Amino acid sequence: MLMSARASVSFTKTARSNSCRQDQSIPSIVSKLSRSSKSNAICGQRLRQTFKRATSKPVSTPIAASKPAIEAEEYVDVAPTTLIREDGTPDDSMRVRFEKMIREAQNTICSAIEELDGVEFMEDSWTRPGGGGGISRVLANGNVFEKAGVNVSVVYGKMPPEAYRAATGEGVKSDEYIPFFAAGISSVMHPWNPMAPTMHFNYRYFETDSPDANADGAPRAWWFGGGTDLTPSYCFKEDIKHFHQTLKDATDKSDPEYYQQMKEMCDEYFLIKHRGERRGVGGIFYDDKNDKSPEHCLELATNCASAVVPAYVPLVAKHKDDEFSEQQKEWQQLRRGRYVEFNLVYDRGTTFGLKTGGRIESILMSLPLTARWEYDQKPEEGSEEAKAMEYYKNPPNWLEDL
């Protein structure tokens, strides 16, 4: 039986206001520290080790003894002009500039998706007593997208003493929490039509301060991270090449060597280890980025975020009305099951957020509305599904090998 893409669905939504909005899932932001100097390298390595130990515990095991890492959110009707704490932070600081970039990106991307789908995003906005907050925009049961979300957040928090001691290498016992700042934008798009691919992106900035507010030298460490990746159920080579080429064009503006490095990191990161296959066909991914100046790293993140719409939207527009069979819809649901497995088992951001009291609706925004699991399911040899599985298991160089 052939079906066309889902027709218009009647769905009550809260139209977002025209002012800038954002939300986020702190999870992906606080995964690890990096290195801009020898001391930062040691700091980042130790903090990553502490993070891995913490996230390797069962979900039911608390990792903080007394204080939550993040304050509870307070919902507001209209998002403030800025989520940056009113503490005299200069307008030209990286905190302010990065928040401005991700809020502009959220507006641009949401507008492009709304134009394609014909349905507006609903929006939640919140702040936190000690500064920061977020804006979640979600489109569910649309004409083109089953679920799409674009979240932005700014977070002020404190790392537990064990993370601080691991990061600094202090031998003296300390009960001080290390303050941190994090800002990021994250998004996932799940179309109805199995011929149209799912897409995810995330770009983030992180700083740590000194536990002593009067100490010199804050931030003690900083890094950028992010990436954009594609998860198609059916692999159209020309579409995947377009996606990768657009990302390469964006990263080439900062450094011609970035694309291949980030492509390989993406393939490695999104491996579903217990399945021996990737979540999709990759894209770019980077983390611990502070080996260049903050200006360079901000430019890289800005160029990559700006590439999301031209890399992805034309692919959905091309396939949103394709005919498909019930069997092909079932394959899409199986691949979404793989998406869920990766996010809940391996994704560092999701794991961290669930264990530190982050906003649950933002953390799990990336999950599809529907998914499917079947016992010992294997695609028929020679089928389009089998060809796709080969790409998931053995990712080619999309710009050269095909």
Side-chain angles (χ1 to χ4, degrees), residues 19-268:
S19 59
C20 298
R21 303 310 174 98
Q22 343 193 326
D23 154 355
Q24 158 267 347
S25 113
I26 167 177
S28 51
I29 297 178
V30 192
S31 51
K32 48 187 172 176
L33 287 178
S34 58
R35 52 205 175 278
S36 58
S37 64
K38 182 176 180 181
S39 60
N40 269 354
I42 297 172
C43 173
Q45 182 180 18
R46 287 171 175 157
L47 186 55
R48 284 194 294 275
Q49 291 169 349
T50 299
F51 171 78
K52 290 177 180 177
R53 288 197 297 271
T55 56
S56 66
K57 299 177 183 178
V59 173
S60 59
T61 303
I63 66 170
S66 57
K67 304 178 185 177
I70 312 165
E71 293 179 312
E73 61 270 5
E74 298 177 352
Y75 289 88
V76 295
D77 293 333
V78 178
T81 304
T82 179
L83 296 167
I84 298 295
R85 179 187 290 165
E86 295 182 2
D87 58 0
T89 303
D91 290 343
D92 61 352
S93 70
M94 189 53 65
R95 296 184 180 192
V96 172
R97 295 169 66 195
F98 193 83
E99 188 215 12
K100 182 176 184 291
M101 185 277 284
I102 59 178
R103 293 187 71 156
E104 290 176 351
Q106 185 186 41
N107 288 336
T108 299
I109 294 164
C110 286
S111 295
I113 296 302
E114 288 176 341
E115 182 178 355
L116 178 64
D117 191 283
V119 173
E120 289 188 334
F121 284 82
M122 63 173 290
E123 181 180 282
D124 282 332
S125 303
W126 67 93
T127 59
R128 292 190 170 95
I135 303 168
S136 286
R137 291 179 182 170
V138 177
L139 188 163
N141 291 309
N143 300 318
V144 176
F145 292 94
E146 182 180 88
K147 184 180 180 183
V150 186
N151 298 340
V152 176
S153 70
V154 171
V155 179
Y156 294 85
K158 292 185 178 181
M159 294 181 180
E162 61 270 21
Y164 169 64
R165 289 194 295 271
T168 61
E170 289 185 358
V172 179
K173 183 177 180 180
S174 172
D175 292 329
E176 291 182 293
Y177 276 53
I178 181 167
F180 71 83
F181 167 89
I185 180 170
S186 62
S187 173
V188 175
M189 310 282 179
H190 294 291
W192 290 108
N193 197 307
M195 301 302 163
T198 286
M199 184 273 304
H200 156 265
F201 74 87
N202 174 286
Y203 292 95
R204 53 201 179 272
Y205 174 64
F206 184 85
E207 290 182 3
T208 63
D209 287 333
S210 168
D212 180 358
N214 297 317
D216 295 330
R220 299 180 68 160
W222 60 268
W223 60 271
F224 291 76
T228 304
D229 63 284
L230 195 69
T231 303
S233 299
Y234 290 90
C235 296
F236 301 99
K237 295 179 182 178
E238 64 275 16
D239 294 348
I240 302 172
K241 285 184 177 181
H242 165 83
F243 185 81
H244 278 261
Q245 184 64 58
T246 305
L247 296 181
K248 183 179 186 303
D249 292 343
T251 57
D252 280 355
K253 295 176 182 178
S254 297
D255 190 323
E257 295 185 0
Y258 278 165
Y259 167 75
Q260 190 59 38
Q261 296 170 359
M262 295 176 182
K263 191 266 187 194
E264 293 173 3
M265 291 180 67
C266 189
D267 290 338
E268 179 181 354

Side-chain angles (χ1 to χ4, degrees), residues 268-298:
E268 179 181 354
Y269 179 77
F270 289 106
L271 175 66
I272 307 172
K273 298 180 180 66
H274 62 274
R275 297 282 189 182
E277 64 193 57
R278 275 80 187 166
R279 190 173 75 176
V281 296
I284 58 172
F285 176 85
Y286 64 95
D287 214 343
D288 295 326
K289 187 66 178 172
N290 64 3
D291 58 336
K292 300 288 181 67
S293 71
E295 293 290 337
H296 176 95
C297 297
L298 175 62

Side-chain angles (χ1 to χ4, degrees), residues 378-395:
K378 293 182 176 64
E380 181 180 349
E381 185 176 351
S383 66
E384 291 303 313
E385 294 83 0
K387 293 177 183 177
M389 182 63 76
E390 179 62 24
Y391 291 140
Y392 305 146
K393 291 184 175 181
N394 299 293

